[in-house]
Amino acid sequence: MDKKGCLKEIIFKKLEKDCIPTLLEIQEEAFAVLDDPDLLRRNTYETLEVCFNQKSLVLGAYCGGEIVGFGILYAAGKDKENLAYSLDGCEDVENYANVKLTIVRPAFRGRGIQRMLIERLVEYAAEEGFKGACSTVSPKNNYSSNNLTKCGFEAVKTLVKYGGMKRILFYKKLN
């Protein structure tokens, strides 16, 4: 199948834990083409596994039966990973979700798949009654920052996260 013609045939499906090895493979493909490894946070099997909880959504973008990208909306509750802790004045953090990760295979980039994943994750978060969604992005990652902005997120502050990495905290009010 011609990958350039694939955009019209992208199908989005909820993923289950058995897809974690494929998600890790896609993550490693992304790291292999990065000029700067600080652009992305490397996630482990265990880090991804906790994202398969009841209120979270792990969404795959499929083309021709192959997962070409994925996105994770993580309902972190009161876990320290909840980015809402970094929002000024946020006391009910369990009512906020993280757009934790969106990665598209290098061969399929530039077709709007990351933005489509973010849009669907945010739509799901709103349907589930979350008040807002947060995400972090490297200040050097203009592509992801632009996609979050196009999806209605605002950059609210710069943080140091994930073992000393500088990140921009993005936020979108939902309900």
Side-chain angles (χ1 to χ4, degrees), residues 5 13 15 21 24 41 123 162-163 165:
K13 296 180 189 174
L15 300 177
L24 290 168
R41 174 188 181 191
E123 186 178 294
Y162 321 124
M165 298 170 127

Side-chain angles (χ1 to χ4, degrees), residues 29-156:
E29 284 180 25
F31 270 105
V33 297
L34 287 180
D35 294 333
D36 183 349
D38 281 350
L39 288 174
L40 188 60
R41 174 188 181 191
R42 183 172 261 115
N43 292 276
T44 64
Y45 185 98
E46 294 75 21
T47 306
L48 296 177
E49 186 176 37
V50 299
C51 298
F52 287 87
N53 65 38
Q54 189 175 10
K55 289 194 82 171
S56 295
L57 174 64
V58 181
L59 191 63
Y62 284 79
C63 179
E66 172 190 6
I67 300 175
V68 298
F70 69 94
I72 298 174
L73 181 84
Y74 180 43
K78 292 189 177 187
D79 186 86
K80 65 179 173 59
E81 283 282 316
N82 193 329
L83 295 170
Y85 281 115
S86 296
L87 294 173
D88 294 335
C90 184
E91 296 175 10
D92 57 344
V93 295
E94 66 275 0
N95 290 310
Y96 294 79
N98 298 351
V99 175
K100 183 176 178 77
L101 186 62
T102 53
I103 301 178
V104 176
R105 289 185 190 270
F108 290 86
R109 291 187 182 158
R111 292 166 177 80
I113 297 170
Q114 183 187 47
R115 193 171 64 251
M116 288 187 281
L117 283 162
I118 294 167
E119 288 169 349
R120 282 161 178 79
L121 295 174
V122 168
E123 186 178 294
Y124 173 83
E127 289 169 2
E128 289 296 309
F130 287 102
K131 289 182 178 181
C134 301
S135 190
T136 57
V137 177
S138 167
K140 302 173 192 174
N141 190 338
N142 294 326
Y143 185 77
S144 293
S145 293
N146 290 339
N147 279 331
L148 284 166
T149 301
K150 287 176 185 175
C151 291
F153 284 76
E154 292 181 38
V156 293

